[in-house]
Amino acid sequence: NGTTLDDFEVISTIGTGSYGTCKKIKRKKDGKVLVWKELDYGAMSETEKQMLVSEVNLLRELKSPYIVKYYDRIIDRARTTIYIIMEYCKGGDLATIISRNKKDSVYLDEDFIWKILIQLTQALQECHQRKNGRAVLHRDMKPANVFLDMDKNVKLGDFGLARVLHHETSFANTYVGTPYYMSPELVNNMSYNEKSDIWSMGCVLYELCALHPPFVASSQTELNRKIRLGDFDRIPKRYSEDLNTIISKMLHIEVTKRPSIEELLADPIVVGRRAKMD
Ligand SMILES: CNC(=O)c1c(C)[nH]c(/C=C2\C(=O)Nc3ccc(Cl)cc32)c1C
């Protein structure tokens, strides 16, 4: 592709994480506002670079109104940096929204939470539909990886990139943040599967209601114990039994009892709510 860095103007830096830096940019030819993620692959092994390439290619394949749109990529060999150009999500990330509402002690509206529930489920449906045999598991669904566009529609971001960068050997593995959203099967060192994404989605939706994760502890060991037990308080009473029922189903500690994406979308409660929204 003929895209170069000169085709864009950097407006501001949005965030910096273990993955690299996210910047708000403007495309000069038409003024369109986008973002790019700058990833320095200088310290990556050949394997990690291959993984990064395949993750970016997967991102290109995923087409859903509820997944951040991939536009292009630029490779600057002189700076060993890859720039991944994606859509701008004006509403920001759910982690910021949750912490702001928590600070102001303001609960989020139930309708807003249902909209996120339904759109996140549809985003995962796109991921789990096997792409040429490969299911793209998100692996790192958490409030900081769920974004909103200017109409407050969900944009699921940060796919396998997180996995590539948390690849044990890369520097990015300097462990940041507590794994509140780790599923029981992962705590028990079993394999990650589609149902693990359902569990994480349940944690995100629970946190949107309660403004804190379902399982909180001051140590990893204590957190693992709580996750294994699977006991959590009901979401605040201002929220309906229907919402509590659906979120509780997603947080079933037994993988087999946890609904799949298809089962969630076919659940009468979800069907009923979607009918009211469309
Ligand atoms: C407080 N959060 C923000 O201000 C914010 C805004 C306005 N946008 C973002 C993030 C993204 C954004 O705007 N587009 C994105 C595409 C992919 C990924 Cl992984 C992230 C983004 C963030 C974190």
Side-chain angles (χ1 to χ4, degrees):
N1 58 5
T3 316
T4 71
L5 294 172
D6 285 346
D7 297 334
F8 302 92
E9 171 196 329
V10 173
I11 299 172
S12 61
T13 294
I14 285 179
T16 309
S18 56
Y19 56 83
T21 306
C22 188
K23 291 186 177 171
K24 185 177 176 180
I25 58 176
K26 179 183 282 193
R27 191 163 57 187
K28 289 175 182 168
K29 73 180 178 190
D30 59 1
K32 188 167 176 62
V33 174
L34 296 163
V35 303
W36 68 30
K37 283 205 135 175
E38 298 176 12
L39 300 171
D40 183 342
Y41 58 79
M44 285 187 181
S45 66
E46 281 317 304
T47 321
E48 282 167 316
K49 278 185 272 196
Q50 192 41 53
M51 281 171 73
L52 180 57
V53 165
S54 62
E55 289 306 339
V56 172
N57 290 335
L58 270 182
L59 199 54
R60 291 168 71 170
E61 278 172 36
L62 288 170
K63 299 255 188 302
S64 157
Y66 307 116
I67 293 177
V68 289
K69 190 171 181 309
Y70 164 95
Y71 278 79
D72 211 334
R73 73 184 186 295
I74 301 167
I75 295 175
D76 180 341
R77 285 180 175 72
R79 293 193 187 90
T80 66
T81 301
I82 180 171
Y83 300 80
I84 302 167
I85 300 165
M86 295 175 278
E87 75 180 293
Y88 176 60
C89 305
K90 186 176 173 59
D93 63 288
L94 290 188
T96 305
I97 291 168
I98 290 167
S99 57
R100 186 185 307 133
N101 282 58
K102 186 180 180 121
K103 181 171 59 64
D104 302 344
S105 303
V106 173
Y107 282 121
L108 293 161
D109 287 347
E110 175 147 347
D111 287 348
F112 173 64
I113 296 172
W114 276 110
K115 181 178 176 184
I116 295 189
L117 187 153
I118 289 161
Q119 294 186 346
L120 259 186
T121 306
Q122 290 174 286
L124 278 187
Q125 182 183 34
E126 166 70 15
C127 300
H128 291 178
Q129 259 150 17
R130 300 186 175 277
K131 291 273 169 211
N132 46 62
R134 256 195 90 190
V136 182
L137 304 182
H138 191 271
R139 295 177 178 284
D140 195 20
M141 185 183 295
K142 56 188 180 185
N145 283 341
V146 179
F147 308 96
L148 299 177
D149 67 7
M150 64 175 80
D151 305 313
K152 292 201 173 184
N153 289 312
V154 159
K155 298 286 179 180
L156 186 53
D158 238 354
F159 283 82
L161 288 188
R163 177 176 50 172
V164 170
L165 293 163
H166 290 174
H167 189 65
E168 51 280 354
T169 60
S170 77
F171 72 94
N173 200 31
T174 45
Y175 209 78
V176 285
T178 313
Y180 290 116
Y181 310 102
M182 210 167 178
S183 59
E185 57 274 17
L186 274 191
V187 168
N188 293 324
N189 286 316
M190 290 158 70
S191 66
Y192 196 98
N193 55 72
E194 279 105 332
K195 297 289 186 81
S196 311
D197 277 341
I198 304 285
W199 172 277
S200 304
M201 175 166 58
C203 291
V204 170
L205 293 162
Y206 182 99
E207 189 168 350
L208 281 172
C209 298
L211 302 179
H212 62 75
F215 308 101
V216 182
S218 46
S219 75
Q220 176 78 58
T221 324
E222 177 61 11
L223 181 63
N224 288 353
R225 194 184 61 77
K226 286 192 174 180
I227 292 172
R228 277 199 196 95
L229 274 178
D231 296 336
F232 52 89
D233 296 333
R234 184 201 192 277
I235 55 176
K237 54 187 178 303
R238 72 191 307 272
Y239 297 113
S240 69
E241 244 339 274
D242 279 352
L243 185 56
N244 182 53
T245 302
I246 295 292
I247 292 174
S248 300
K249 282 180 179 180
M250 296 178 188
L251 293 175
H252 210 294
I253 51 175
E254 284 182 59
V255 175
T256 51
K257 294 231 177 69
R258 215 177 294 158
S260 66
I261 286 292
E262 301 313 328
E263 285 160 348
L264 276 173
L265 290 170
D267 188 301
I269 294 174
V270 174
V271 172
R273 290 298 308 211
R274 276 182 81 175
K276 272 167 67 176
M277 280 167 63
D278 294 343

